[in-house]
Amino acid sequence: MELDNLVEFSPSMEMQVKLHAYGIPKTFKEGDVILNEDSHISSIPIVKSGSLRVIRSDEDGREILLYYIKAGESCIMSFLGGIHNDTSKVKAIAEDETEILFIPIEKVSLLIKEYPEWLDYIFRLYDKRFE
């Protein structure tokens, strides 16, 4: 599984090796819940193929669409919650068959220190979601 086809992220070959060494690949069917609100965040998803719908529930229990995560992207809410040892504020659902590489949260900070492109990737995700 190569990571060079990712739209938003072009890691060096050395970093690709680390991501594969640390990462846990999983495939989900359409409608599968990847992450629930108030769940502990133990890993950061990088979508390899397919897409995720990220939603949040309001006080009345209605779901509010926040954004979609496509191939090459990740969930900035997972990054922030995981780094701060917080629970998830969102729910992520597979829109179609989706392949994800999960990076354990304890490796995320290590990657930030070793690879400036990883931090740049996180900032670009944040900027994209803000827009």
Side-chain angles (χ1 to χ4, degrees):
M1 219 166 50
E2 294 222 6
L3 291 174
D4 57 359
N5 66 334
L6 297 180
V7 176
E8 295 292 322
F9 187 41
S10 299
S12 65
M13 187 57 71
E14 180 183 333
M15 187 172 182
Q16 285 188 46
V17 170
K18 289 259 176 121
L19 287 170
H20 284 294
Y22 297 156
I24 302 159
K26 292 185 181 179
T27 302
F28 298 90
K29 298 181 303 237
E30 179 181 345
D32 283 353
V33 175
I34 312 304
L35 180 66
N36 273 306
E37 289 176 290
D38 298 319
S39 296
H40 174 73
I41 300 171
S42 60
S43 60
I44 304 304
I46 299 176
V47 175
K48 297 277 297 158
S49 65
S51 63
L52 301 176
R53 178 175 72 243
V54 179
I55 58 176
R56 185 171 185 164
S57 298
D58 67 11
E59 303 83 40
D60 298 325
R62 292 178 300 203
E63 294 182 342
I64 302 165
L65 174 66
L66 298 178
Y67 52 85
Y68 291 94
I69 302 172
K70 301 175 196 161
E73 298 176 344
S74 186
C75 180
I76 192 62
M77 297 299 289
S78 294
F79 271 107
L80 296 173
I83 288 171
H84 294 290
N85 199 27
D86 202 358
T87 57
S88 177
K89 305 287 187 272
V90 298
K91 182 177 184 178
I93 303 164
E95 281 287 288
D96 43 24
E97 185 170 310
T98 303
E99 184 180 6
I100 299 173
L101 183 65
F102 289 96
I103 308 300
I105 199 65
E106 65 271 8
K107 301 298 183 185
V108 171
S109 295
L110 178 65
L111 289 168
I112 288 172
K113 292 174 186 170
E114 287 185 43
Y115 300 97
E117 66 260 37
W118 181 247
L119 185 58
D120 182 58
Y121 173 62
I122 295 168
F123 283 132
R124 284 188 287 128
L125 284 171
Y126 182 81
D127 185 56
K128 184 172 185 166
R129 299 304 167 220
F130 184 74
E131 289 178 5

